[in-house]
Amino acid sequence: MTLAESLKHYRYQFILLLGGIALLYGTIVPPMVSDWYHDENYSHGFIVPLVAGYFVYTRWRLLGKTAIRPAGLGLAIVVLALMQLVLAWLGTEYFLMRSSLIVLLAGVILFLFGKEVFRLLRLPLAYLVFMVPLPYILYDAVAFPLKLFVTKVSVRALQLMGVAVLREGNIIMFPSTTLEVADACSGIRSLVSLLALAVAYSCFVTESTARRWGIIVAAVPIAIVTNALRVIVTGILAQYWGAKAAQGFFHEFAGLAVFAMAMVMLFAVGALLKTKNHHNGEGKG
């Protein structure tokens, strides 16, 4: 029996199963969606399920023809996911609680449909990880050193441009004012969003695993460099036009402009690799 035939034949059982999963996560997923809305670090969460759905759509014709061969390993993964959910709920650990949904879906697919269907769906499943907000202990572990690094680079660049400036931790001191490089200016926000974009973009632009990784890895320095540019421009404005010139509208606009610039740079890397694909005769056509 193929997957399409199975979905048609057991449609009521599958609807019941999906209803049970929705009931199980009925108090877990809505707060996560609320985080997407209220926390600018994870506003890309709204797009992640849509992109994952598009990945499924592009594979749907092949999925429908794939023969199902249920795998017992899937049942073990389902049990593991439920244990993860219970332990995370007892410890009030939101990341593990929310990510257990992805592990559960992976186990259900493997158990009911087998390895071949799971292989075709592993990318959409893995991509869903980007919709789960990171635990704050991990977020702070990345944001703090990144904040200091961006501050050091920006101060050094400003000094090379002849601007009188000193640094104290993540505080940039000018003769007439001071600026703080906060978490939002550390680049972590751009980094998380750009990584989600890079993974999706790399899957569309090339079929080479090495080049996909090249695009994903390139997102890291691009996010850091563009954010450092934002801090440098903010510092120049604060030095010559006062701190107010670097706040309010400019601050919000600079965040959008920096992310747009990062996207252009990422697309440029993808275009470069795509051109290389065509030269090597590996293009998707």
Side-chain angles (χ1 to χ4, degrees):
M1 182 181 288
T2 65
L3 178 64
E5 292 168 342
S6 174
L7 290 176
K8 185 177 180 181
H9 188 75
Y10 297 107
R11 57 186 178 280
Y12 297 116
Q13 288 88 337
F14 289 135
I15 290 172
L16 280 175
L17 176 63
L18 290 175
I21 294 175
L23 193 64
L24 186 62
Y25 285 87
T27 59
I28 297 171
V29 172
M32 180 170 69
V33 176
S34 178
D35 284 352
W36 300 345
Y37 182 76
H38 292 102
D39 189 340
E40 292 183 358
N41 292 313
Y42 299 104
S43 54
H44 62 275
F46 288 104
I47 301 173
V48 171
L50 299 179
V51 174
Y54 184 74
F55 283 145
V56 175
Y57 170 75
T58 58
R59 292 161 170 75
W60 190 249
R61 184 171 294 179
L62 185 57
L63 277 166
K65 297 176 183 174
T66 304
I68 59 169
R69 295 185 177 82
L73 177 63
L75 186 58
I77 296 176
V78 168
V79 173
L80 186 68
L82 294 175
M83 289 173 61
Q84 177 182 338
L85 175 61
V86 172
L87 291 174
W89 179 75
L90 289 172
T92 323
E93 209 299 304
Y94 293 105
F95 178 79
L96 290 177
M97 206 187 303
R98 293 163 174 174
S99 61
S100 69
L101 173 60
I102 302 170
V103 182
L104 180 67
L105 291 175
V108 168
I109 290 168
L110 189 58
F111 178 61
L112 295 179
F113 306 126
K115 293 180 181 177
E116 188 58 27
V117 172
F118 177 78
R119 187 183 66 78
L120 291 169
L121 290 176
R122 63 187 176 186
L123 174 62
L125 282 169
Y127 193 74
L128 290 176
V129 170
F130 286 109
M131 73 179 181
V132 184
L134 294 171
Y136 276 106
I137 189 170
L138 179 60
Y139 179 92
D140 291 338
V142 176
F144 185 69
L146 196 56
K147 189 164 53 179
L148 292 180
F149 177 76
V150 167
T151 308
K152 285 180 184 176
V153 170
S154 302
V155 167
R156 184 61 183 150
L158 287 167
Q159 288 172 338
L160 288 174
M161 286 186 282
V163 177
V165 60
L166 292 173
R167 180 182 69 86
E168 180 77 31
N170 63 323
I171 303 295
I172 301 177
M173 296 178 286
F174 298 92
S176 57
T177 187
T178 60
L179 290 178
E180 177 186 1
V181 179
D183 283 354
C185 302
S186 68
I188 184 72
R189 183 179 297 170
S190 299
L191 183 59
V192 173
S193 301
L194 204 62
L195 278 175
L197 176 67
V199 171
Y201 178 58
S202 68
C203 292
F204 292 120
V205 80
T206 177
E207 292 180 338
S208 163
T209 302
R211 289 180 180 131
R212 283 179 177 176
W213 276 108
I215 293 173
I216 295 167
V217 171
V220 178
I222 286 174
I224 294 173
V225 167
T226 51
N227 205 67
L229 282 174
R230 175 188 180 183
V231 175
I232 292 167
V233 173
T234 303
I236 292 173
L237 285 175
Q239 167 68 7
Y240 295 107
W241 286 278
K244 287 185 178 178
Q247 296 171 353
F249 172 77
F250 171 78
H251 193 265
E252 297 301 322
F253 175 77
L256 295 174
V258 160
F259 192 70
M261 186 192 303
M263 285 175 62
V264 170
M265 292 171 73
L266 190 68
F267 291 157
V269 171
L272 185 67
L273 292 174
K274 192 174 182 180
T275 303
K276 205 169 180 180
N277 271 354
H278 284 301
H279 287 166
N280 293 339
E282 298 171 13
K284 293 173 77 174

PDB file of all heavy atoms in Angstrom, residues 17 96 116 153 157 168 263:
ATOM      1  N   LEU A  17      -5.972  10.524  15.379  1.00  0.00           N
ATOM      2  CA  LEU A  17      -4.596  10.631  15.883  1.00  0.00           C
ATOM      3  C   LEU A  17      -4.154  12.090  15.962  1.00  0.00           C
ATOM      4  O   LEU A  17      -3.593  12.532  16.977  1.00  0.00           O
ATOM      5  CB  LEU A  17      -3.653   9.842  14.971  1.00  0.00           C
ATOM      6  CG  LEU A  17      -2.163   9.924  15.314  1.00  0.00           C
ATOM      7  CD1 LEU A  17      -1.878   9.339  16.689  1.00  0.00           C
ATOM      8  CD2 LEU A  17      -1.327   9.213  14.248  1.00  0.00           C
ATOM      9  N   LEU A  96      12.371  21.890  25.901  1.00  0.00           N
ATOM     10  CA  LEU A  96      12.217  20.439  25.760  1.00  0.00           C
ATOM     11  C   LEU A  96      10.743  20.062  25.611  1.00  0.00           C
ATOM     12  O   LEU A  96      10.395  19.138  24.864  1.00  0.00           O
ATOM     13  CB  LEU A  96      12.822  19.733  26.976  1.00  0.00           C
ATOM     14  CG  LEU A  96      14.349  19.797  27.077  1.00  0.00           C
ATOM     15  CD1 LEU A  96      14.825  19.131  28.364  1.00  0.00           C
ATOM     16  CD2 LEU A  96      15.002  19.126  25.875  1.00  0.00           C
ATOM     17  N   GLU A 116      11.318   5.070   4.456  1.00  0.00           N
ATOM     18  CA  GLU A 116      11.383   5.822   3.199  1.00  0.00           C
ATOM     19  C   GLU A 116      10.561   7.109   3.296  1.00  0.00           C
ATOM     20  O   GLU A 116      10.996   8.179   2.848  1.00  0.00           O
ATOM     21  CB  GLU A 116      10.896   4.953   2.041  1.00  0.00           C
ATOM     22  CG  GLU A 116      11.108   5.559   0.668  1.00  0.00           C
ATOM     23  CD  GLU A 116      12.566   5.890   0.373  1.00  0.00           C
ATOM     24  OE1 GLU A 116      13.472   5.235   0.945  1.00  0.00           O
ATOM     25  OE2 GLU A 116      12.799   6.816  -0.429  1.00  0.00           O
ATOM     26  N   VAL A 153      34.775  45.137  18.142  1.00  0.00           N
ATOM     27  CA  VAL A 153      35.000  45.381  16.707  1.00  0.00           C
ATOM     28  C   VAL A 153      34.539  46.781  16.323  1.00  0.00           C
ATOM     29  O   VAL A 153      35.223  47.506  15.590  1.00  0.00           O
ATOM     30  CB  VAL A 153      34.251  44.313  15.873  1.00  0.00           C
ATOM     31  CG1 VAL A 153      34.263  44.687  14.385  1.00  0.00           C
ATOM     32  CG2 VAL A 153      34.884  42.943  16.072  1.00  0.00           C
ATOM     33  N   ALA A 157      36.837  49.884  14.960  1.00  0.00           N
ATOM     34  CA  ALA A 157      36.555  50.494  13.655  1.00  0.00           C
ATOM     35  C   ALA A 157      36.358  51.998  13.801  1.00  0.00           C
ATOM     36  O   ALA A 157      36.858  52.785  12.978  1.00  0.00           O
ATOM     37  CB  ALA A 157      35.311  49.853  13.046  1.00  0.00           C
ATOM     38  N   GLU A 168      33.959  50.185  27.746  1.00  0.00           N
ATOM     39  CA  GLU A 168      33.926  49.597  29.091  1.00  0.00           C
ATOM     40  C   GLU A 168      32.903  48.461  29.032  1.00  0.00           C
ATOM     41  O   GLU A 168      31.693  48.709  29.099  1.00  0.00           O
ATOM     42  CB  GLU A 168      33.498  50.660  30.117  1.00  0.00           C
ATOM     43  CG  GLU A 168      33.435  50.160  31.551  1.00  0.00           C
ATOM     44  CD  GLU A 168      34.805  50.041  32.184  1.00  0.00           C
ATOM     45  OE1 GLU A 168      35.695  50.821  31.815  1.00  0.00           O
ATOM     46  OE2 GLU A 168      34.977  49.138  33.034  1.00  0.00           O
ATOM     47  N   MET A 263      20.348  39.730   4.156  1.00  0.00           N
ATOM     48  CA  MET A 263      19.666  38.864   3.188  1.00  0.00           C
ATOM     49  C   MET A 263      20.302  38.992   1.803  1.00  0.00           C
ATOM     50  O   MET A 263      20.507  37.991   1.107  1.00  0.00           O
ATOM     51  CB  MET A 263      18.184  39.232   3.123  1.00  0.00           C
ATOM     52  CG  MET A 263      17.378  38.757   4.323  1.00  0.00           C
ATOM     53  SD  MET A 263      15.668  39.348   4.277  1.00  0.00           S
ATOM     54  CE  MET A 263      15.069  38.584   2.779  1.00  0.00           C
TER      55      MET A 263
END
